[in-house]
Amino acid sequence: MTTSRLIDRMPVVHQLRQSVGLQRGMLVAGLVLTGIFVFCAIFAPLIAPYGYAQLDGPDGNFGAQQPPSAAHLLGTTVGGYDVLSRVIWGAQTALMVVIVAIAMSVFVGILLGLFSGYLGGWVDRALVVVADAIYAFPTLLLAIVVAIAINNGQSGLWPGIMAAAASITVVFIPQYFRVVRAEVVRIKGEAFVESAKVIGASTPRIMFRHVLRNSTRTLPLIVTLNASEAISTLAALGFLGFGIQPTVAAEWGYDLNKSISDVAAGIWWTAVPPGLAIVLTVLGITLIGESLNDLADPRLRARRRAGSAKTAPTPADAVAASEPASREFMGEVE
């Protein structure tokens, strides 16, 4: 019984049991697609047939633009790399960028929102103005500028990952800042916070022990919605030539860029796999985020309860179904 309760309290399991109909289908589809992406990223060294920068095997060089075969299930790229291996290793690069970007955004955004909302004053006003100003910058343009500023266009593994993650972090921080700040402003006027002040609790203790733990409940929804945008930004950087070089790590956007000329020549296998990887990964994470957002919306929950109340049989309906109707009720007169 205890194990089942613990499993039910897990965020995804709890939300999955709450969902119904199309919403459950969307959530399950998102979990399957995201699970495949995470599995490929974690176990890439085990399931990838070749290395991401490997150009030859026991039979010699792979050759460029080779069609799908038993040795190369998805063919080879214009650079002579195995397409399937590049797609699998590219999932690992994308996952690393998502983890770094989201972790930095959440950490910085929570701290700024907590101090701004609790302390108020000129610090709060200044941070709000800065957060509003950041929204004026397009995400991709800011990512390109940061990528050039960090590594001067030289795209090594960690410089490329940090460049993409830093640009995404700058864009995402205001979102976490606003959410946390709004919750802190609401919570700091609650009775338990006033009680903590009366008994002499210090300001840092109140902020981190009482206020912070009650103001971050909606952040998982934002994390899932932002993760897909992080992958899209990384792919866009690689496609424009500011991503990661193929000899350092596999990156879907770079491979998609190099396959543009192949499409015109009828060579589809170099463009379709990385393109599908980007689309399906972004779609899977977006489906999870949208489903969790719908389940957390109180208005949608009220509609679902109203719909279930209309369709659920009442006790009177159960009695009427179990007992035969009288002749008078049917409109018959003796």
Side-chain angles (χ1 to χ4, degrees):
M1 181 64 104
T2 304
T3 305
S4 62
R5 289 181 178 179
L6 292 176
I7 295 176
D8 185 64
R9 289 181 179 180
M10 296 177 62
V12 176
V13 175
H14 180 67
Q15 303 293 347
L16 184 60
R17 291 182 177 180
Q18 280 186 331
S19 60
V20 293
L22 179 61
Q23 191 176 65
R24 171 171 290 186
M26 293 172 55
L27 182 56
V28 171
L31 290 173
V32 171
L33 292 175
T34 305
I36 295 174
F37 161 68
V38 175
F39 178 83
C40 292
I42 295 176
F43 297 102
L46 300 178
I47 62 178
Y50 305 100
Y52 56 81
Q54 186 173 346
L55 294 172
D56 52 19
D59 299 331
N61 291 334
F62 294 155
Q65 301 173 328
Q66 296 297 314
S69 61
H72 306 283
L73 297 180
L74 296 180
T76 60
T77 67
V78 65
Y81 304 106
D82 181 69
V83 175
L84 178 59
S85 300
R86 294 281 300 177
V87 171
I88 295 175
W89 283 101
Q92 187 178 79
T93 306
L95 183 62
M96 294 169 64
V97 172
V98 170
I99 292 176
V100 174
I102 297 299
M104 294 171 59
S105 303
V106 170
F107 179 76
V108 178
I110 287 178
L111 286 182
L112 293 179
L114 179 62
F115 281 97
S116 177
Y118 190 83
L119 299 178
W122 65 270
V123 175
D124 180 39
R125 292 192 295 271
L127 290 176
V128 169
V129 170
V130 173
D132 292 339
I134 292 178
Y135 280 107
F137 292 93
T139 304
L140 183 57
L141 178 60
L142 183 60
I144 294 174
V145 173
V146 175
I148 296 175
I150 290 179
N151 51 32
N152 294 323
Q154 300 299 320
S155 304
L157 175 59
W158 282 108
I161 291 176
M162 293 306 298
S167 61
I168 297 168
T169 298
V170 173
V171 176
F172 286 171
I173 283 176
Q175 300 182 24
Y176 298 99
F177 165 78
R178 284 187 166 188
V179 172
V180 174
R181 176 186 174 276
E183 288 294 316
V184 170
V185 171
R186 180 184 63 85
I187 293 173
K188 73 176 183 180
E190 297 290 337
F192 68 90
V193 177
E194 297 296 333
S195 301
K197 294 179 180 178
V198 171
I199 64 176
S202 62
T203 298
R205 179 180 177 82
I206 295 175
M207 292 174 60
F208 292 97
R209 182 69 181 274
H210 301 286
V211 178
L212 178 61
R213 64 188 302 178
N214 292 285
S215 58
T216 57
R217 297 178 180 178
T218 59
L219 292 186
L221 301 178
I222 306 176
V223 168
T224 54
L225 294 173
N226 287 345
S228 59
E229 186 175 351
I231 295 177
S232 301
T233 302
L234 175 65
L237 286 174
F239 186 82
L240 294 176
F242 298 98
I244 302 172
Q245 295 298 327
T247 56
V248 179
E251 205 280 303
W252 294 333
Y254 178 90
D255 293 341
L256 196 61
N257 173 270
K258 295 301 179 182
S259 64
I260 294 178
S261 59
D262 297 341
V263 176
I267 303 175
W268 56 269
W269 56 85
T270 59
V272 173
L276 278 179
I278 297 172
V279 172
L280 294 179
T281 303
V282 173
L283 176 63
I285 300 176
T286 302
L287 287 177
I288 294 177
E290 292 295 337
S291 300
L292 296 180
N293 186 42
D294 292 344
L295 290 172
D297 192 337
R299 294 172 298 178
L300 295 179
R301 289 203 305 266
R303 293 177 185 175
R304 287 196 299 270
R305 286 196 297 266
S308 61
K310 292 179 181 179
T311 57
T314 62
D317 295 333
V319 173
S322 61
E323 296 182 359
S326 63
R327 297 175 63 187
E328 289 81 7
F329 181 80
M330 297 298 294
E332 299 183 9
V333 180
E334 294 182 357

